[in-house]
């Protein structure tokens, strides 16, 4: 007798599925950098998703001023991919493959990884879905063509620059001693030019760079960027700049393509170099300029050969409010710390030594406090982490924001259902549509913050483990032991220094650090300076 087994119909096969949908937009060229271009893309996608009953709005992510050849540097795309990998997105809308990536390998790797997660990319211009594995070959071909197009555009731009350089036409930049006229040409600024001549004269008379710097400060001269002179390196730059003899060299560096990456490197003959003499009227004669260069060469030859120290670039890490800029850490000496091993101090040419030296001292002391006293600080650390990452606060924010969006949606659909709409109605619909989009974007930002809480809590736990593993006293100030703990540093005036531990994972811009400086500190300390500047340095560790 036949054995028959009946397989019932899958009731879920025809089930209506609501998708969580996000979109990605990118503008990169100068023409596209107009705000309207990005605003139109954001509005287009927001409207398409928010007002579609089959979609749940999962956000619009975008990058502007970013090249399509590299995904790593695109913060908006990285945030979207992070959300997709975490399982918070089902479908991602993209205008075209070229808006997504021109790098073939990057594009295919991302598409294949997200495909494993069940996340779909849909490219509108090409009408392609990433879930269809048969399109991998098409994507490879199209991405390859887009990448070749990008390289061709870059090549054309470089060719254009070189062609203009052959004819003596090169970009010029603000330079002390010169103004730039309407024709984009250097014109001598006689007031500052007299200072340039004085600088060369004083140097040839045997004056030190610091002595010349004091002269510039006392006379009230400002740099080409209208800032006060603050470091002797600025004086040296003037003494070694060939612009002052009417010469410009174009092609000192070039963009080197290393695999899929591009980087600027010094041109040691790999590319053409253009030396343009008599480009503009000189301030310094060639004999005087050459004498100065000879002195620098002699000083370099006499200088003792010292083993090269590490140069740790902390650009975008420590910000000085007084100088309105970030500093770089470059080891140039050591300071003794309470009889312990000497520690290095760092400086950047545009920031006086005093500030950079005490930045390093505060970082050193902060590491010592965390390694020695964290047992006593742990309860306060936990309380501050809980306050920063409070799910309860964000849940309340989400509920309130959801009500705002729903209220505008009710008004919108009530007006939309009117059979006859006058001009006033149409204007109101547009305004409501704008408000819905804006408030939905705010809701999505809060939701992203909420979804990141678990990850940040784990980060806080890892930090605590790291604190307990720190050795006391700290043996050296290295990029590793600083960056593993601190995400930003603020120098407020001359005597206030703050090291930030970023718990929330929000971007620590200068403005964000200034605002976070008012948070309750995890630890505070103070010490008095020894030397020609008498001050009390007040420092703190703050969670943000």
């Amino acid at each position: 007798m036949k054995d028959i087994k009946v397989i019932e119909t899958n009731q879920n096969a025809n089930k209506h599925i609501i998708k969580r949908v996000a979109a990605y937009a990118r503008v990169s060229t100068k023409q596209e950098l107009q705000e309207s271009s990005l605003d139109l893309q954001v509005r287009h996608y927001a409207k398409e998703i928010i007002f579609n009953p089959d979609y749940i709005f999962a956000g619009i992510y975008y990058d502007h001023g970013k090249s399509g050849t590299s995904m790593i540097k695109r913060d908006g795309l990285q945030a979207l991919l992070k959300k997709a990998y975490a399982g918070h997105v089902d479908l991602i809308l993209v205008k075209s493959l070229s808006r997504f990536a021109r790098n073939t390998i990057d594009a295919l790797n991302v598409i294949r990884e997200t495909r494993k997660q069940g996340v779909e990319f849909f490219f509108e211009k090409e009408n392609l879905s990433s879930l269809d594995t048969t399109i991998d070959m098409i994507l490879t071909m199209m991405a390859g063509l887009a990448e070749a197009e990008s390289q061709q555009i870059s090549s054309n731009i470089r060719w254009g620059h070189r062609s203009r350089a052959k004819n003596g036409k090169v970009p010029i930049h603000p330079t002390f001693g010169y103004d730039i006229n309407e024709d984009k040409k250097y014109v001598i600024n006689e007031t500052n030019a007299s200072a340039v001549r004085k600088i060369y004269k004083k140097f040839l008379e045997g004056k030190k760079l610091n002595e010349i710097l004091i002269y510039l400060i006392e006379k009230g001269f400002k740099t080409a960027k209208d800032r006060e002179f603050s470091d002797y390196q600025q004086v040296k730059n003037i003494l070694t700049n060939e612009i002052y003899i009417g010469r410009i060299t174009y092609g000192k560096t070039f963009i080197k393509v290393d695999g899929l990456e591009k980087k600027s490197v010094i041109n040691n003959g790999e590319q053409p170099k253009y030396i343009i003499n008599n480009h503009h009227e000189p301030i310094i004669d060639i004999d005087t300029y050459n004498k100065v260069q000879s002195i620098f060469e002699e000083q370099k030859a006499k200088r003792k050969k010292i083993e090269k120290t590490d140069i740790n670039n902390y650009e975008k890490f420590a910000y000085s409010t007084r100088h309105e800029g970030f500093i770089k850490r470059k080891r140039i000496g050591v300071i003794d710390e309470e009889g312990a091993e000497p520690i290095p101090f760092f400086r950047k040419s545009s920031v006086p030594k005093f500030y950079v030296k005490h930045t390093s001292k505060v970082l050193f002391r902060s590491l010592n406090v965390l390694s020695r006293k964290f047992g006593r600080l742990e309860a306060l650390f936990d309380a501050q982490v809980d306050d920063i990452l409070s799910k309860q606060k964000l849940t309340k924010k989400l509920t309130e924001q959801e009500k705002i969006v729903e209220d505008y949606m009710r008004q919108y659909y009530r007006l939309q259902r009117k059979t006859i709409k006058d001009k006033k109605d149409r204007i109101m619909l547009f305004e409501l549509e704008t408000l819905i989009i804006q408030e939905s974007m705010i809701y999505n930002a809060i939701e992203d913050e909420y979804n990141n809480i678990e990850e940040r809590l784990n980060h806080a736990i890892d930090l605590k483990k790291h604190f307990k593993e720190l050795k006391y006293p700290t043996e050296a100030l290295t990029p590793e032991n600083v960056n593993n703990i601190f995400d930003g540093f603020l120098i407020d005036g001359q005597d206030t220094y703050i090291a930030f531990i970023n718990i929330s994972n929000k971007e620590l811009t200068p403005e964000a650090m200034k605002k976070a400086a008012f948070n309750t500190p995890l630890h505070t300390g103070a010490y008095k300076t020894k030397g020609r500047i008498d001050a009390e340095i007040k420092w703190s560790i703050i969670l943000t």
Side-chain angles (χ1 to χ4, degrees):
M1 184 176 180
K2 293 182 179 179
D3 182 13
I4 300 174
K5 183 178 179 180
V6 178
I7 300 176
E8 298 293 342
T9 304
N10 184 356
Q11 297 299 319
N12 293 322
N14 298 316
K15 186 178 179 180
H16 186 67
I17 298 174
I18 305 294
K19 291 185 177 182
R20 296 164 297 178
V21 183
Y24 176 71
R26 179 179 67 83
V27 292
S28 60
T29 66
K30 288 183 180 179
Q31 184 179 358
E32 290 176 319
L33 272 175
Q34 301 171 26
E35 288 185 9
S36 59
S37 176
L38 186 58
D39 289 344
L40 285 172
Q41 287 189 60
V42 170
R43 187 181 185 89
H44 163 74
Y45 282 119
K47 185 178 178 181
E48 183 176 341
I49 298 169
I50 293 169
F51 296 96
N52 188 327
D54 294 332
Y55 290 166
I56 295 173
F57 182 63
I60 310 293
Y61 296 82
Y62 54 86
D63 292 296
H64 51 83
K66 301 291 185 180
S67 168
T69 56
S70 176
M71 286 187 170
I72 297 173
K73 297 178 182 178
R74 286 192 266 160
D75 297 334
L77 179 59
Q78 292 303 318
L80 175 57
L81 292 177
K82 181 180 177 182
K83 187 171 184 175
Y85 291 139
H88 299 305
V89 182
D90 301 310
L91 171 63
I92 299 169
L93 305 178
V94 187
K95 183 179 179 182
S96 68
L97 180 60
S98 64
R99 295 295 87 193
F100 178 58
R102 290 193 178 103
N103 185 308
T104 309
I105 295 177
D106 279 355
L108 286 175
N109 284 344
V110 167
I111 285 170
R112 285 166 180 165
E113 285 300 314
T114 51
R115 185 186 291 154
K116 292 176 185 176
Q117 304 282 335
V119 179
E120 176 186 6
F121 279 92
F122 184 77
F123 304 104
E124 291 186 335
K125 184 179 179 181
E126 294 83 6
N127 195 30
L128 294 174
S129 168
S130 64
L131 293 185
D132 184 354
T133 57
T134 61
I135 72 164
D136 281 23
M137 182 177 68
I138 299 172
L139 284 171
T140 302
M141 293 174 62
M142 294 183 68
L145 289 170
E147 186 175 338
E149 181 188 4
S150 175
Q151 291 178 359
Q152 184 62 46
I153 291 170
S154 298
S155 177
N156 290 342
I157 292 171
R158 288 195 298 272
W159 179 86
H161 287 321
R162 288 173 187 165
S163 297
R164 286 189 289 272
K166 285 180 181 179
N167 296 319
K169 297 178 181 179
V170 293
I172 61 174
H173 308 283
T175 303
F176 181 72
Y178 287 100
D179 293 327
I180 299 176
N181 65 14
E182 294 179 356
D183 297 326
K184 303 296 181 183
K185 293 181 179 180
Y186 280 131
V187 178
I188 291 178
N189 178 316
E190 196 53 50
T191 302
N192 291 343
S194 64
V196 173
R197 297 185 190 102
K198 198 79 172 178
I199 290 169
Y200 276 78
K201 182 181 177 183
K202 284 179 175 290
F203 186 75
L204 291 174
E205 288 173 351
K207 297 292 184 182
K208 294 181 179 178
L209 297 178
N210 272 332
E211 292 174 322
I212 300 174
L213 173 65
I214 292 170
Y215 161 78
L216 291 171
I217 294 172
E218 289 178 345
K219 293 296 182 180
F221 285 105
K222 299 289 185 68
T223 68
K225 295 182 179 179
D226 199 32
R227 296 179 181 176
E228 292 183 358
F229 283 92
S230 58
D231 194 272
Y232 74 84
Q233 185 62 45
Q234 293 167 308
V235 178
K236 186 175 181 180
N237 290 342
I238 291 172
L239 289 165
T240 56
N241 193 340
E242 64 182 4
I243 283 177
Y244 295 111
I245 59 172
R247 178 196 298 163
I248 289 182
T249 300
Y250 180 80
K252 292 179 180 178
T253 62
F254 69 97
I255 302 299
K256 183 179 181 181
V257 179
D258 185 9
L260 297 172
E261 296 298 320
K262 295 180 180 179
K263 56 184 177 180
S264 179
V265 297
I266 295 173
N267 185 3
N268 292 315
E270 298 91 341
Q271 297 288 336
K273 191 182 292 186
Y274 304 91
I275 299 173
I276 306 169
N277 291 306
N278 303 316
H279 177 270
H280 52 272
E281 186 179 355
I283 294 174
I284 302 298
D285 64 85
I286 188 69
D287 290 337
T288 301
Y289 179 81
N290 287 339
K291 286 177 184 177
V292 169
Q293 308 319 306
S294 296
I295 293 173
F296 281 124
E297 288 298 325
E298 289 173 9
Q299 290 176 348
K300 186 177 180 180
K302 291 178 181 177
R303 197 177 299 128
K304 293 181 180 179
K305 291 184 179 180
I306 303 172
E307 184 179 351
K308 186 178 179 182
T309 58
D310 292 334
I311 297 176
N312 306 310
N313 188 346
Y314 271 65
E315 189 79 19
K316 306 300 180 188
F317 174 76
Y319 183 85
S320 169
T321 58
R322 188 168 185 175
H323 303 91
E324 297 182 352
F326 287 93
I327 64 174
K328 292 179 182 177
R329 300 171 67 250
K330 179 177 180 180
R331 187 162 70 181
I332 61 167
V334 296
I335 50 178
D336 293 324
E337 181 69 21
E338 300 175 359
E341 287 290 321
I343 60 172
F345 66 87
F346 307 85
R347 63 175 288 267
K348 180 191 175 185
S349 60
S350 63
V351 179
K353 296 177 185 178
F354 178 88
Y355 300 90
V356 191
K357 175 179 177 179
H358 289 287
T359 295
S360 292
K361 289 194 76 169
V362 168
L363 286 170
F364 195 90
R365 287 174 180 242
S366 299
L367 288 170
N368 275 337
V369 162
L370 292 172
S371 62
R372 184 176 60 176
K373 298 182 179 179
F374 186 69
R376 281 182 280 170
L377 298 173
E378 187 170 4
L380 179 58
F381 178 87
D382 290 341
Q384 291 187 354
V385 168
D386 185 59
D387 185 57
I388 292 169
L389 302 179
S390 174
K391 277 192 173 184
Q392 190 174 0
K393 287 181 182 178
L394 286 178
T395 301
K396 185 180 178 182
K397 277 187 180 180
L398 280 171
T399 303
E400 291 171 352
Q401 191 62 29
E402 186 177 21
K403 288 179 180 177
I404 293 171
V405 175
E406 287 177 349
D407 182 54
Y408 285 135
M409 290 289 276
R410 278 194 294 270
Q411 295 180 51
Y412 178 85
Y413 284 117
R414 190 183 304 125
L415 190 56
Q416 185 73 272
R417 283 193 292 270
K418 284 184 68 174
T419 307
I420 301 174
K421 302 180 187 70
D422 57 21
K423 183 178 180 180
K424 186 178 178 181
D425 290 333
R426 289 192 293 272
I427 292 172
M428 180 59 71
L429 278 173
F430 182 82
E431 290 177 353
L432 283 170
E433 187 180 281
T434 301
L435 286 169
I436 290 166
I437 291 171
Q438 290 173 349
E439 298 301 331
S440 295
M441 295 282 281
I442 294 172
Y443 180 90
N444 182 71
I446 300 170
E447 188 177 50
D448 282 354
E449 190 176 347
Y450 183 89
N451 291 333
N452 286 331
I453 286 179
E454 202 64 40
E455 179 187 344
R456 301 317 296 172
L457 285 171
N458 291 332
H459 173 62
I461 293 169
D462 291 339
L463 276 174
K464 288 172 63 173
K465 290 178 182 177
H466 191 63
F467 296 157
K468 293 172 182 178
E469 292 171 357
L470 287 172
K471 293 180 181 180
Y472 177 81
T474 302
E475 295 178 356
L477 197 63
T478 66
E480 288 76 21
N481 61 17
V482 171
N483 287 335
N484 285 342
I485 295 174
F486 303 110
D487 294 271
F489 194 95
L490 186 70
I491 309 167
D492 192 9
Q494 181 173 275
D495 59 358
T496 304
Y497 294 72
I498 306 169
F500 291 101
I501 299 174
N502 191 356
I503 298 297
S504 65
N505 200 32
K506 294 178 181 177
E507 185 181 3
L508 279 182
T509 62
E511 290 305 316
M513 287 193 283
K514 290 175 189 177
K515 186 177 178 181
F518 294 99
N519 291 359
T520 303
L522 178 68
H523 180 81
T524 60
Y527 62 89
K528 291 186 177 180
T529 62
K530 297 177 182 179
R532 63 185 182 86
I533 300 178
D534 186 18
E536 183 181 39
I537 303 298
K538 298 181 286 290
W539 63 276
S540 57
I541 302 171
I542 289 180
L543 272 60
T544 181

